[in-house]
Amino acid sequence: MLNDMIIGMAGSGGDGIVSAGDALISAAAREGYYAMLTKSFGSQIRGGESSCRLRVATTPVLNPGGTLDVAVVLNWEDFLRFGGELPVGTDTVVLYEKKTGVEPAAIPLKVQPGIVLAVPMADLAIKSAGTLQAKNNVVLGLLAGWFNLGREAILEGIRRKFAKKGAEVLQGNERAYAAGLAYADEHPLTRDMRLAPPVATGAKRRVTDGNEICAEAALFAGCKFFGGYPITPATEIMQYLQKDIWKHGGSLLQAEDEIAGIAAVVGASFAGKKAMTATSGPGFSLKSEVIGLASIAELPLVCVNVQRGGPSTGLPTKTEQADLFAAVFSAHGDTVRPVLAPIGVSDVFGVTVEAFNIAEAYQTPVIVLSDQEIAQRKDVIDPVDTTPFKLIERLKPTPEELAAGYNRFKITDSGVSPLSHPGMPGGSYLAAGIEHNEHGDPTSSGEMHERMNNKRLNKLNPLKTRDDLFILEGDIDAPLGVISWGGMAGAALEAVRTARAQGIPVKLLIPKLLYPIAESVYRDFFASLQRCVVVEQSHQGQLHRLIRMWVDVPRDFTSLARSGANPIPPAAIVQRLRVMAESLANHPATPAP
Amino acid sequence: MLNDMIIGMAGSGGDGIVSAGDALISAAAREGYYAMLTKSFGSQIRGGESSCRLRVATTPVLNPGGTLDVAVVLNWEDFLRFGGELPVGTDTVVLYEKKTGVEPAAIPLKVQPGIVLAVPMADLAIKSAGTLQAKNNVVLGLLAGWFNLGREAILEGIRRKFAKKGAEVLQGNERAYAAGLAYADEHPLTRDMRLAPPVATGAKRRVTDGNEICAEAALFAGCKFFGGYPITPATEIMQYLQKDIWKHGGSLLQAEDEIAGIAAVVGASFAGKKAMTATSGPGFSLKSEVIGLASIAELPLVCVNVQRGGPSTGLPTKTEQADLFAAVFSAHGDTVRPVLAPIGVSDVFGVTVEAFNIAEAYQTPVIVLSDQEIAQRKDVIDPVDTTPFKLIERLKPTPEELAAGYNRFKITDSGVSPLSHPGMPGGSYLAAGIEHNEHGDPTSSGEMHERMNNKRLNKLNPLKTRDDLFILEGDIDAPLGVISWGGMAGAALEAVRTARAQGIPVKLLIPKLLYPIAESVYRDFFASLQRCVVVEQSHQGQLHRLIRMWVDVPRDFTSLARSGANPIPPAAIVQRLRVMAESLANHPATPAP
Amino acid sequence: MSVPSTTDCGCAPSAAAPLTIKDFRSDLKPIWCPGCGDYGVVTALYRALVNIGRPAHEVAFISGIGCSSRIPGYTTAYGFNTVHGRALPVAQGIKMANPDLLVLVAGGDGDGFSIGGGHVPHAIRRNLDLTYIVMDNHIYGLTKGQMSPTTPRGAKTNSTTYGSLEEPVNPLLYVLAYGAGFVAQGLPADMEGLTKMIEAAIRYPGFSFVNIQSPCVTFGDPNDQMKVQKAKMKKLADLGHDPTNRLRAMDLAQAYGTELYTGIFYQNPTPPETYDQMIRARQAELQAK
Amino acid sequence: MSVPSTTDCGCAPSAAAPLTIKDFRSDLKPIWCPGCGDYGVVTALYRALVNIGRPAHEVAFISGIGCSSRIPGYTTAYGFNTVHGRALPVAQGIKMANPDLLVLVAGGDGDGFSIGGGHVPHAIRRNLDLTYIVMDNHIYGLTKGQMSPTTPRGAKTNSTTYGSLEEPVNPLLYVLAYGAGFVAQGLPADMEGLTKMIEAAIRYPGFSFVNIQSPCVTFGDPNDQMKVQKAKMKKLADLGHDPTNRLRAMDLAQAYGTELYTGIFYQNPTPPETYDQMIRARQAELQAK
Ligand SMILES: Cc1ncc(C[n+]2csc(CCOP(=O)(O)OP(=O)(O)O)c2C)c(N)n1
Ligand SMILES: Cc1ncc(C[n+]2csc(CCOP(=O)(O)OP(=O)(O)O)c2C)c(N)n1
Ligand code: SF4
Ligand code: SF4
Ligand SMILES: [Mg+2]
Ligand SMILES: [Mg+2]
């Protein structure tokens, strides 16, 4: 019996592989499992090859994992196109369509897995349902039968899905499912690969994705305006919001481009409303000038960047973490803006709410770095408990302050000045991208510029002590350390748990606040370390460099980084930790000078 | 007698202060002095307060300097508006318009200078020329008389300027000049403030600015296309080029915005021509998406960013060095592009040519970070010797390579692949912002993405050993170090020379190649250092941070940084070095572990 | 036009006492060159706002960057001097976030029809109730005299030493093609006409556009200054133009750059529902569910 | 049209042997959905290029981003699949740098009239000899079915669950107002007409614009597919439209979205000098000095 299982399937457009994945994850959720479903397509919009990976487990799933436990191959050409996305190992059970005509011993893989089964999927579909379209239900039957994957829940799902299509269609699909089940029962596996029963918690779990959660969180946080432009893989945030934001008294603009989108958001914020935009790399690059405007005009806004592979158009449908530098540094001049990143689907909720809170509290644009994986894969998550969240509203001038002669950019101890909005009598001021004095009048004085830069940068200092925006795991005294963030953090967490279970003395730090760099948090983390690795999915290892900018790092401070598309699997991180542990044993620390 | 003199003047629009400055620097050049003239205006387009600073010396002038030796005040209100730009010290000679009615002992300054003279400038103008408009020639006469500033050359200049305006006007101005001279002769100073005679070199020096030199260098380098959009303080590059580029068989597009400007440049480069754009911060932010396109399509181009005060519209007419982060990091995804910065007006020539060479050699966008000071102030420079410059042309496919089946993005040892252009038979390919394989076909493979990222990033590695793009000054073994760049480098150079003359053991490193970080050059520089300071004009001290990212820095690695508008004067740097030297004496280095 | 008092933004309702120009003039001293046409524009605007009668704090006044774009700072409205070319998108966000505000937008010919030109059709087809004023001086004033999109072909400027090679844009014809419901052209030389026109534009319920020939004394064509303009101008009203005839308006607009027509080119006699009204309706409908 | 052979770029002169479709079709297999209108567009383009007779390597084919913008990759021309909305500026740089090239530009309705809309008037008023083809499917295809600038008002898309609130843009009317010298509309359902139209556009010496109603089978309106279009189309030639009448062309263009006219709306009978010609003249003049 397994507690954790990874299934990968690939076929061509008509094979229904992706809808089989959807059926499986729904069934898993209903039965009380946790799961994660990632889909991947060829470059065609419709048709072409498609694949999915489902990881299902009795405890929360942290990342899509590495090598498959089960591979389902509807045709070899399509399967092989996904390369590293569907890795097969010697322990993988490989099920493939018999009609492909390949002998089990001759399958076109670099490894020869222990269990390889040629299953007459098409034949079973035709025989049971009279149509090849039922093939994916045969596959569901096989998976349910061999791996104990929610027999009942899958059947319920089939019933719900085909209920409206008439008795004939429904029964055909039911029969196909039964045929798969029967085939599995008649051909027992040589190894017990059944999934352990779920650890029931009674909670009503749901299947959702990061983009949907982001939209929900924004509405929860009080977002009243969205301005943006479609772009993969961020579009769904707008698509979800345009359904619901009106009910909250808000509105939404699908703008003519990304610049207009964020400019409208700046306008809405100036008008006194919480506002956001969402985009991906190319759109983010376009927005940089207006982000600078929001910085100097000290107007709150949230800008979500759902990262995809770059540079430029890059790999629009694949994940990457290579927009960190752009998030922190794009836009000319001395601008500093908070950058946050969620570590998984359900974490998007809290991070988005936090982003709005920080934006309003400090009157600043805030960047949220999501990524394609988090945004578009489906996760089974526990319902979000919203009770711990407090909502922050921007500081407004009091009637006394307005009466005394309002100074929009008053230099205060905190650096935050009360912010009026049109409609407020006595609060009129000139907002501008031009440097200004406390009143808001344009200035070209170097002295005033220095003071205002100080105000704008120092007001963010309190963020640097927000250790609640970090996750720390492992022994405080461990000599080995891992740092990871965003979409890679789950794999790092899993790897660190595995490594610790193997006796490797390692601890983990996951910043959700990526910038400004919380120097003291890192210093504390580094205190015990002799070796540290930063795990992330960018070619340059961008967080690794960013930390060095601000903090003195352990002597052996390395990067485990790789370009996007295929995430780094936990096993690769464990492997690196093992090497670090060995080198530690061989070269004990030189005493601190 | 002085070898070096700084004169500051301020008045209102009609006072002709700025044209007096122009007259002085021309005269200085003709007499064989070196000089530097910086102008500063209030926010009005026409009218309003204006000022200029002239530094004139017998040896090359490295920076505009700090405290004035001579202050010329046409009216106090205007003079005071320039604050830190026209600092007066106790040694300054202050000449002011008597009509302001202020008593010499009651002038509205924080210090009381030793020599303060109320001169009836307006009266002298009226008496001699019959018009207040001649006031600036009275001032020229005073300066020529008291400070021995090119008596003859100024007169010649007046003659040239007014030759066409008729005898009456000319003679009036000559008389005004003579009246100033006479007044000076009749009222000798209590201190000898005469400028030493020039050290003649026979070279024909010229008065010019960085924007003009940039345009000349681009044409010399073979630039055949410019696309851009007006923006202060970069517009003059386009204005100079649109006069001359046609003669070189090139063309120029004043585009509808900065994005179109650089997009057209990308097009011209794709078409096989050397091409450039020039802008300032806000325009640079807008260009980031297309810079990313040029990176992944591996198309050469030069993008000059003449920095001004930021963020956003900021301080459009003032200098700053705060776009370094944006130059290095803006645009999403893993892009690396070379960033260069000239250290002064004449250096713009070599750096611009170098930028074209690097762009063509490595098929990459190159950013040149100029700044408002370098771009718009007037310098007396020696003629540029163009003989040492070699021009590099992009690598083109050979007929054999084309015949063998051309792969535009072939992975070569150097990372550079031969580049065809439309019109070349057999060289057709698909350029794109999308990730591609060697042939240029779109791909979403993570493996191919990793290989292409490697190619694009590693091809720039040879730049990291280009120590000819660094200036090193001082003893190789010095324990104290200064690093500075761009417009601040001149002040740092002067300060280090002064400090060394005072016995402070310090050396200086000036990178003209700011990125990629040439790690070994810095490591070598750091080898002897116990304390190091990075001097630059940004609030955050951006180069200071950037170096930390890549190189292990000396334990005491600090930043002397300040926001833009008023450059850091050499004296402030010397002061910091003195403190560093003292602390060195008190706390000798701990032995290296 | 319905002039709703602001209620959902915690603001006081409109002031009752009659307003004067003083209520709209700010303490900031304009730094335009002496003689710049923009002085006349801001004066006409003060007067129009007095006539409209909304208190200054209920007015949001948005601009881009340019000499002309400095205008919000010279009023007591909530001003926003944004970045070059983005005034219209910012203004749309403001109006959508708070439809009760009176939202004015202003800028130069370069700001509006060069870098900002891509936003104009979309603002117009969305038809939010905004008034957009362009101070068209056929030059880039702030950056000191380069060719602007309305610079006539052949003109020599600081960026076209040998003469511009490009046909100028036609702001009037463009916005008519984009479907604007109110399109007019005025001159500071005709203060009374300009004031009325701005007032009518503000009162028009939907997107309104006023092109103002506002001369640049410093870098502009000496033959395109106030006096010459005053002599050259032809009032559309005097020509008997029917401002409800859109095709005729487009035909007249073709003469931009040749004839100096002033007045209302086009005003939709049956203004359609505005975008802000549709938004409110959608909010109400979905909230009721 | 003069079709100069390339001389100043080190290229061989045009091939003499007659060209076939094979000379223009690349090895890259189109990844459009089966039934997408864009298949017809690329076929018509191959045919037009065969008729034009310039070898593929003298053709630069520029696009933005979108399903439609993939088209250059399916030809053997020098293709450039740039970034979203910037095809026209890139193409202008190419043509200015080497006026001998035949420069084609293509993209979608979103690429051209939403994010790229700001570049269209300027490309047109500069009048470089470019041909711009828009595959107008009234939807964002590549990003999976959001409202595009030409989506009809009220339409429900993935980004307008309750129906779009915006008037669509009118590409035909806009480009006519911008002063384009050649404006036409075609359909892949009418392959012959489309081929001829593209050929005529390429032969027009100056900026030419072809709007193609190229249906999106996957996200488009089921009532806006090939068959329906074929039935609905009205050939301007059959209606006796005089393509030299610009005001009449504008009037007909107003029916965009209602009537499906195909053919040439407007063709300037006396094409003015192109920008590329003016550039050459200026170079020659100044080099002579
Ligand atoms: C992104 C950006 N590009 C360029 C500029 C420089 N710039 C400021 S105003 C302006 C044009 C001004 O012309 P116009 O809009 O006609 O206004 P005017 O000054 O003539 O009133 C330009 C190019 C800028 N501030 N920002
Ligand atoms: C800067 C930027 N913004 C957004 C996108 C996402 N995007 C790609 S194509 C497209 C629109 C496609 O619509 P259209 O131009 O009509 O082409 P179609 O796919 O319909 O042929 C969008 C929004 C992008 N790639 N780059
Ligand atoms: S430069 Fe021209 S537009 Fe600007 S303030 Fe002066 S006159 Fe007016
Ligand atoms: S999504 Fe639409 S436009 Fe794109 S390829 Fe498919 S049918 Fe064509
Ligand atoms: Mg203007
Ligand atoms: Mg489309």
Side-chain angles (χ1 to χ4, degrees), chain C residues 81-169:
Chain C
N81 200 181
T82 68
V83 288
H84 195 36
R86 315 301 168 190
L88 280 174
V90 173
Q92 291 172 73
I94 294 170
K95 186 71 181 177
M96 286 181 74
N98 185 354
D100 287 334
L101 299 171
L102 194 175
V103 182
L104 304 174
V105 191
D109 41 329
D111 194 71
F113 287 93
S114 193
I115 191 168
H119 305 300
V120 183
H122 303 284
I124 290 178
R125 67 194 186 86
R126 280 181 204 123
N127 194 34
L128 280 147
D129 187 9
L130 305 174
T131 296
Y132 182 36
I133 296 169
V134 167
M135 282 153 268
D136 179 6
N137 56 10
H138 316 289
I139 199 81
Y140 285 178
L142 188 68
T143 49
K144 307 200 170 178
Q146 298 78 28
M147 171 180 71
S148 94
T150 58
T151 297
R153 184 145 172 186
K156 293 181 181 172
T157 69
N158 284 339
S159 62
T160 56
T161 300
Y162 312 110
S164 145
L165 297 175
E166 308 178 21
E167 280 301 314
V169 309

Side-chain angles (χ1 to χ4, degrees), chain B residues 246-247 249-254 256 259 263-264 267 270 273 289 420-425 427-429 431-434 441, chain D residues 9 11-12 28 57 73 76-81 83 86 89-90 93-94 96-97 101 119 122 126 275 279 282-283 286-287:
Chain B
W246 319 94
K247 291 178 207 157
S251 58
L252 180 142
L253 182 73
Q254 181 182 324
E256 55 271 25
I259 300 177
F270 173 72
K273 300 288 163 71
E289 191 202 8
S420 64
H421 62 76
M424 204 181 253
S428 292
Y429 71 101
I434 300 169
D441 302 339
Chain D
C9 62
C11 332
L28 216 56
H57 69 266
T76 51
Y78 275 86
F80 199 165
N81 199 181
V83 288
R86 314 303 168 191
V90 172
I94 294 170
M96 288 181 73
L101 299 171
H119 304 301
H122 304 284
R126 280 180 204 124
Y275 199 74
I279 286 172
R282 177 169 285 181
Q283 287 169 342
L286 291 170
Q287 282 173 341

Side-chain angles (χ1 to χ4, degrees), chain D residues 31-52:
Chain D
I31 54 175
W32 290 314
C33 307
C36 176
D38 297 350
Y39 284 102
V41 178
V42 74
T43 303
L45 183 70
Y46 294 147
R47 296 187 186 178
L49 286 172
V50 167
N51 296 347
I52 295 287

